[in-house]
Amino acid sequence: QSVLTQPPSVSGAPGQRVTISCTGSRSNIGAGYDVHWYQQLPGIAPKVLIYGNTNRPSGVPDRFSGFKSGTSASLAITGLQADDEADYYCQSYDSRLSGYVFGTGTKVTVL
Amino acid sequence: QVQLQESGPGLVKASETLSLTCTVSGAYIGAYYWTWVRQPAGKGPEWIGRMYISGTTNYNPSLKSRVTMSADTSKNQLFLKLTSVTAADTAVYYCARWNNFLDSWGQGTLVTVSS
């Protein structure tokens, strides 16, 4: 069972904005460790969307943005598109577990 | 551009040892941290461990007693060994480069543990 909790699913119509939360605790996000977000299309390895809480790698559209506050983080997708349908995972470090942890994952569905 | 390719047996018998190789091109393995991640079907990724060739290796505490990560710099290859496997170890196994985050991933290899 992951220490980073995400909603199992979120959905939105094309063009809408959706957000995915990642709730942690004082031993991970709340301790100041960076949060990274990955997108995983079916049958393909995860790909980083946001690193260091708010940063986008080159090539990732600015429709994707990351936020962090307290013991939580969130990923926002604006202008939702059909090819945004995927699983999304947050990831951080946990000092109590002395290791890196992934969130429980969120499936984004475009209606 | 860095590329990673996992290889190894797709089927391992329960109680035996899972052994995988990750061949890296486009980056010298001695210059970065490298991780192994696994993902059971329908579930989220699980971090197995992180290694710096000339430094420390950190393992997931839940797997620490069974995992060994190693490398061969002459071949630019990484290795993963997981002993005493059970059905719970059935997953797609990925190697990935840690560059403050997981910036490059292999395509993954499915390992099934059979009874």
Side-chain angles (χ1 to χ4, degrees):
Chain A
Q1 187 171 354
S2 178
V3 298
L4 301 179
T5 302
Q6 301 177 230
S9 64
V10 298
S11 61
Q16 283 191 330
R17 179 181 190 268
V18 296
T19 60
I20 301 170
S21 60
C22 175
T23 303
S25 66
R26 288 184 293 180
S27 64
N28 42 69
I29 299 174
Y33 295 110
D34 282 343
V35 178
H36 317 296
W37 290 91
Y38 301 88
Q39 177 193 59
Q40 186 174 31
L41 298 170
I44 298 176
K47 167 193 131 178
V48 65
L49 276 182
I50 298 290
Y51 68 93
N53 307 312
T54 61
N55 303 292
R56 277 187 314 275
S58 60
V60 173
D62 60 5
R63 301 186 298 105
F64 296 92
S65 56
F67 307 89
K68 177 186 168 185
S69 178
T71 58
S72 295
S74 60
L75 173 72
I77 309 174
T78 58
L80 198 61
Q81 299 179 0
D83 57 5
D84 295 333
E85 281 207 341
D87 294 322
Y88 293 80
Y89 296 95
C90 58
Q91 185 242 317
S92 187
Y93 181 84
D94 189 280
S95 60
R96 185 175 59 84
L97 298 176
S98 296
Y100 292 91
V101 289
F102 288 90
T104 50
T106 299
K107 182 174 185 61
V108 170
T109 300
V110 181
L111 302 173
Chain B
Q1 181 179 352
V2 61
Q3 291 187 317
L4 302 90
Q5 177 69 58
E6 304 89 348
S7 59
L11 191 63
V12 180
K13 292 183 179 179
S15 80
E16 296 189 344
T17 296
L18 178 160
S19 296
L20 295 176
T21 299
C22 175
T23 300
V24 180
S25 59
Y28 174 54
I29 62 172
Y32 295 91
Y33 284 89
W34 302 91
T35 68
W36 287 92
V37 174
R38 70 181 184 178
Q39 186 172 26
K43 297 187 178 181
E46 178 184 31
W47 176 72
I48 298 173
R50 186 184 77 163
M51 176 175 66
Y52 189 70
I53 306 303
S54 57
T56 57
T57 302
N58 305 105
Y59 298 125
N60 185 323
S62 68
L63 299 171
K64 188 174 183 177
S65 63
R66 300 193 292 128
V67 173
T68 303
M69 294 172 60
S70 60
D72 182 339
T73 54
S74 68
K75 296 181 178 179
N76 225 37
Q77 290 180 326
L78 309 164
F79 307 106
L80 174 72
K81 288 190 185 298
L82 182 66
T83 62
S84 304
V85 296
T86 69
D89 296 310
T90 294
V92 174
Y93 285 74
Y94 297 98
C95 55
R97 184 174 71 174
W98 178 263
N99 195 14
N100 294 317
F101 56 95
L102 294 166
D103 72 344
S104 300
W105 297 65
Q107 64 184 26
T109 187
L110 174 62
V111 178
T112 301
V113 177
S114 67
S115 55

